[in-house]
Amino acid sequence: IRLASMGLAAALCAGVSARAESPPRTLPLDFQADVRADGRLANIAPDAGLSPAMQAMVRKQVSGWHYIPGTWQGRPVPGRVSQRIVVDVVPAASGGFSLRIKSVTSVPMMLDSKRAPSSRAMHPPSYPIEAQRQGVEETLVYAIRRDPQGKASEVELLDSQAGDNWKKMFDAAARKAIRQWQLEPVEVDGQHIDCRLITPVTFRLGVGRSLPPVTMPDMRPYLSRVPDGCPLPPVLDTKVEGVSL
């Protein structure tokens, strides 16, 4: 899309006054959608906070995207995605601005060092104080047994990026939180299944939504180590970086 003026660009994309002096450099455009077993999207729901014009643009753009669905016992199964399209606001040669896709990200289970733990079903761990002081960040990957009712148990650490001393500290904090998790049951063909969830837990220094987007680590390489792994979230298979909206 080409936006005719700086004020219109800001109004359409960010929901701010059309009198704004200049548009933001990047914009987040969030959406959720169901992914069918064939990798196509259905029930696309752009962020309700976007203007109607922007919602229509997002819906039109992502309707043509293809995803690699998760699998269970060797066959693809439907899933759901919640993603953020980050777009650059680029001055157009003929005046105004255009929007260009910079990245498409998913948000992993992440703890902001400035954010207190919440009471959500996936309760985030407490950030180790000494790690905060030393500026240490960490991503751990776990396999967690999820029974047909969604209860988490049998926690196995599959991967850690930090050294041994830090790993023990982060692992203890993550396991304490995981014991409180009540997960959504996994359903395949209308039946709740017993499987192991492969998921990252990321400790990151920063403040809330001002953080840059986080790219979800690829969990597929871990499937060979977890043969009873739950179907993984669908992965975008369409190359979209640099595409203009």
Side-chain angles (χ1 to χ4, degrees), residues 175-235:
R175 287 175 182 271
K176 182 177 179 180
I178 290 170
R179 286 195 293 268
Q180 303 177 58
W181 286 6
Q182 181 61 43
L183 306 169
E184 289 292 330
V186 179
E187 184 175 300
V188 175
D189 294 336
Q191 299 292 323
H192 290 169
I193 63 172
D194 186 310
C195 59
R196 287 206 287 168
L197 170 69
I198 306 174
T199 184
V201 177
T202 299
F203 293 81
R204 193 171 184 211
L205 300 167
V207 181
R209 293 175 64 89
S210 64
L211 289 169
V214 175
T215 301
M216 176 77 81
D218 186 3
M219 298 293 100
R220 294 176 189 276
Y222 299 98
L223 278 176
S224 61
R225 297 166 55 184
V226 187
D228 57 346
C230 302
L232 293 175
V235 175

Side-chain angles (χ1 to χ4, degrees), residues 30-70:
D30 295 352
F31 74 93
Q32 295 184 335
D34 293 326
V35 179
R36 305 184 312 202
D38 64 2
R40 297 298 178 183
L41 295 183
N43 303 320
I44 300 168
D47 182 358
L50 297 173
S51 70
M54 293 300 293
Q55 290 187 46
M57 184 191 310
V58 170
R59 190 176 290 107
K60 179 179 179 180
Q61 177 65 222
V62 306
S63 64
W65 290 2
H66 182 269
Y67 283 75
I68 301 173

Side-chain angles (χ1 to χ4, degrees), residues 104-120:
V104 178
T105 64
S106 297
V107 181
M109 170 56 61
M110 182 180 72
L111 182 71
D112 181 329
S113 65
K114 303 297 184 182
R115 185 179 300 170
S118 71
S119 57
R120 295 176 302 173

